[in-house]
Amino acid sequence: MDSAVAPPAVAAFRDVYRAELDAIRAAGLCKDERFIHDPQGAEIEVEFPAGAAPKKVLNLCANNYLGLSSHPRVVAAAHAGLEKRGYGMSSVRFICGTQDIHRQLERRLSEFLGTEETILFSSCLDANAGVFEALFGEKDVLIADRLVHASIVDGMRLCKAMTDTYKHSDMGHLEEKLLEHADKRFRVVITDGVFSMDGDLAKLDEIVTLAQKHGALTFVDDSHATGFIGKTGRGTPEHFGVHGRIDLVTTTFGKALGGASGGCVSGRKELVDMCRQRARPYLFSNTLASVIVSGTLEVLDLVSETTERRDHLEENTLFWRKGLTEAGFDIKAGASPIVPVMLYDARLAQDVARDLFAEGVYVVGFFFPVVAKGQARIRTQLSAAHTREHLERALAAFVEVGKKHDILGKTKAEMLARCGL
Amino acid sequence: MQPRRILEVPIPDGVDPKGDDLELLKAVFQALTALRVSQGRDWLAKVKELEGDGWTVRWGLTWRAEAKRGEEYEEATGKTLDEALNGVAQMVVAEYAGHVP
């Protein structure tokens, strides 16, 4: 399109957005995409910057926790699903978009998660965006942990219920809020199972106890846990001994469960049935593609047959956390395979990530506004696809880059001082 | 469009409203003026239309609070000033506390 002949209104909006994009880039906040030339895995070929020759690097930033994104059985099941059920359904579920395998997957998920009923969505973001508005209204209150996922914040905004928050994992503050809103019809306690920023786990046992004491409902987004947290990978409810006692669970198939896309709401039958009638992303958006349904069914078979992958992931997590700590890195304590390496300064986080890429390790620096101010870090994520050799190599690269930036064994204050802050 | 008109209302002797009280007086006066003097009664027809469709319609004055920081913007309404400002504060906290994918 020739911008020279564009009408004035077009020129005006181009100016506005070009200026905004320039400001984002100038602030160092531009999210540049890196092109991967092969299937998702522990080692991938990455073209970065655009136009550069693809480089083989160790991948420590995917949500491929169980290493199933390119597993031969999952790929084969997806192929078979494609052959048997076709590519698309060209419909929403309630018109002509429900195949037998959609219902089969919903039943399998209910069994796996220990719930009464499940409904599929195109993504967990859609599930979170639709569930609150479908179930709760002006007589109710949604009380969320302050670090819940952005999609929950969006879902709460779309709902007419009153919204409130409690300080991150602060059970005393949560109880205050439950008491403060005692006059509401329903009080809903909302949390992530594993928080994606710090990798810490919600105190689900205490949350369930408090919710029962005050007659409140519980909601858990277990996207960073389903498939590998808990002895058999049933997620944070299993880890805390409250499996089957959460009223509403949302989760994704886009992380450990094959990593393609799709998500669900699972929980009390009446709540899920109501979502089927009223959740707008479900009613007005296409059905989950059959090829993904087929792949996810195979993933559930794989994770139900053996805990080998989740056990290996746990071993990798322990090895990685121990290795980084002994090397002198400042990491967030915890047990999840999300291991944030704290650098506190945005520029330092970007420089360390760039140097690690040069050393053959693919990680991404996170800084404000994605994380809180002064909390810049590199988020490393372990996978069952990582071998011990992969992690030893990654650790050696981290130590090399850590020495270069003189951050090993340094406190937050010392690191910030090195950055002139 | 008519030029903006300003009506001055003397404050009684001995009364010295400041800060929030002044804002409250302004808001109440503007609301009453809007309700009583504004042109048109289209809203009555809208109410009748909605009631004809079976809706029970209520309306009333409400507090509206907003917070702006550069391009960032949040707003909330409430039956009380506390409710409106708490609403804004909750959304600011929830939106900007820090989230990663």
Side-chain angles (χ1 to χ4, degrees):
Chain A
M1 190 174 173
D2 185 355
S3 59
V5 295
V10 174
F13 80 65
R14 278 192 199 280
D15 287 347
V16 166
Y17 291 109
R18 276 182 187 144
E20 279 191 32
L21 287 165
D22 288 347
I24 290 169
R25 193 166 285 283
L29 301 175
C30 191
K31 298 170 191 72
D32 290 313
E33 293 175 2
R34 304 174 187 202
F35 307 134
I36 298 169
H37 287 243
D38 50 0
Q40 185 63 274
E43 287 189 286
I44 48 175
E45 287 196 352
V46 180
E47 174 192 332
F48 188 76
K55 173 181 172 154
K56 193 164 195 174
V57 289
L58 275 171
N59 185 0
L60 264 80
C61 55
N63 301 313
N64 185 19
Y65 297 113
L66 292 174
L68 296 175
S69 298
S70 309
H71 191 280
R73 271 179 60 182
V74 180
V75 173
H79 273 296
L82 193 59
E83 290 297 326
K84 285 181 75 175
R85 299 293 196 289
Y87 172 68
M89 284 301 291
S90 307
S91 174
V92 299
R93 285 283 297 271
F94 80 94
I95 297 179
C96 59
T98 301
Q99 289 175 321
D100 55 340
I101 53 172
H102 289 99
R103 196 66 197 120
Q104 197 182 329
L105 179 57
E106 287 170 342
R107 291 200 176 110
R108 285 287 283 118
L109 284 162
S110 299
E111 284 168 24
F112 188 76
L113 297 170
T115 54
E116 295 171 5
E117 183 59 286
T118 299
I119 176 175
L120 303 176
F121 284 81
S122 299
S123 67
C124 190
L125 185 146
D126 269 353
N128 288 339
V131 62
F132 302 114
E133 195 217 1
L135 297 176
F136 306 110
E138 59 182 344
K139 295 174 185 167
D140 311 315
V141 62
L142 310 176
I143 307 171
D145 185 289
R146 286 187 180 169
L147 289 187
V148 291
H149 191 262
S151 58
I152 290 178
V153 175
D154 292 347
M156 288 166 65
R157 281 177 179 278
L158 291 169
C159 178
K160 292 186 178 69
M162 177 185 274
T163 59
D164 206 342
T165 58
Y166 63 94
K167 292 175 196 164
H168 179 52
S169 280
D170 184 332
M171 296 299 104
H173 197 219
L174 170 58
E175 183 152 36
E176 278 177 37
K177 292 293 179 184
L178 286 166
L179 289 166
E180 185 183 325
H181 298 294
D183 59 329
K184 294 292 180 186
R185 182 183 65 164
F186 298 133
R187 289 163 288 174
V188 191
V189 181
I190 298 167
T191 184
D192 287 3
V194 173
F195 293 91
S196 54
M197 188 163 77
D198 290 348
D200 55 326
L201 275 60
K203 299 166 184 166
L204 275 195
D205 47 350
E206 296 180 48
I207 288 174
V208 168
T209 301
L210 271 179
Q212 285 184 344
K213 177 180 169 188
H214 292 278
L217 293 162
T218 46
F219 173 102
V220 178
D221 177 342
D222 225 17
S223 291
H224 282 280
T226 305
F228 57 96
I229 297 288
K231 283 286 174 211
T232 63
R234 264 62 175 174
T236 45
E238 182 185 30
H239 178 86
F240 285 103
V242 292
H243 191 57
R245 292 170 62 196
I246 307 295
D247 298 297
L248 285 163
V249 176
T250 58
T251 194
T252 181
F253 317 142
K255 293 183 168 59
L257 301 185
S261 65
C264 67
V265 174
S266 195
R268 307 284 177 212
K269 185 175 188 314
E270 296 78 9
L271 299 175
V272 174
D273 285 350
M274 189 58 83
C275 285
R276 217 177 281 283
Q277 301 305 315
R278 291 204 179 145
R280 294 169 76 86
Y282 181 83
L283 293 173
F284 301 114
S285 180
N286 241 23
T287 193
L288 187 65
S290 318
V291 64
I292 293 173
V293 174
S294 303
T296 309
L297 279 165
E298 187 67 20
V299 166
L300 288 173
D301 283 347
L302 274 162
V303 297
S304 301
E305 282 167 14
T306 171
T307 59
E308 196 179 315
R309 279 178 194 79
R310 88 34 96 207
D311 296 344
H312 183 52
L313 174 63
E314 193 171 62
E315 286 162 18
N316 279 348
T317 301
L318 289 171
F319 176 81
W320 185 244
R321 284 182 175 276
K322 185 167 179 278
L324 285 176
T325 304
E326 286 177 356
F329 284 97
D330 177 2
I331 65 168
K332 288 273 185 186
S336 86
I338 298 173
V339 187
V341 180
M342 301 307 294
L343 298 164
Y344 303 104
D345 176 67
R347 178 59 59 189
L348 181 59
Q350 287 170 289
D351 289 348
V352 169
R354 181 202 59 218
D355 289 346
L356 281 165
F357 190 78
E359 294 288 331
V361 178
Y362 184 9
V363 290
V364 176
F366 288 118
F367 41 89
F368 183 80
V370 175
V371 295
K373 269 186 180 160
Q375 291 291 309
R377 81 270 312 265
I378 282 171
R379 181 178 72 171
T380 61
Q381 290 169 283
L382 284 305
S383 169
H386 289 133
T387 63
R388 183 55 57 91
E389 187 275 326
H390 286 144
L391 296 184
E392 283 170 349
R393 189 150 37 105
L395 201 52
F398 264 79
V399 169
E400 194 66 29
V401 173
K403 281 180 186 165
K404 177 183 169 186
H405 290 275
D406 193 20
I407 52 176
L408 299 181
K410 295 288 190 289
T411 63
K412 176 182 178 180
E414 287 168 337
M415 272 190 260
L416 289 174
R418 286 206 69 266
C419 302
L421 298 169
Chain B
M1 189 176 168
Q2 287 187 336
R4 188 167 192 188
R5 298 164 68 194
I6 294 172
L7 178 65
E8 284 187 27
V9 180
I11 292 172
D13 290 343
V15 176
D16 185 21
K18 289 191 174 70
D20 290 347
D21 290 333
L22 267 180
E23 288 300 316
L24 181 66
L25 283 172
K26 259 197 300 190
V28 169
F29 192 76
Q30 283 170 349
L32 290 173
T33 307
L35 283 171
R36 187 69 190 92
V37 187
S38 64
Q39 297 296 308
R41 287 289 183 268
D42 286 354
W43 60 273
L44 274 175
K46 297 278 181 227
V47 170
K48 285 193 190 313
E49 192 179 318
L50 286 165
E51 286 175 342
D53 287 341
W55 295 92
T56 300
V57 184
R58 289 182 295 144
W59 66 96
L61 298 178
T62 186
W63 286 98
R64 179 173 167 278
E66 62 177 53
K68 202 167 191 309
R69 184 175 62 184
E71 294 297 315
E72 299 166 350
Y73 177 80
E74 295 293 339
E75 68 170 56
T77 56
K79 289 193 280 285
T80 64
L81 192 53
D82 261 357
E83 199 176 300
L85 284 166
N86 277 333
V88 165
Q90 291 303 337
M91 290 325 296
V92 166
V93 166
E95 187 70 28
Y96 300 107
H99 308 279
V100 293

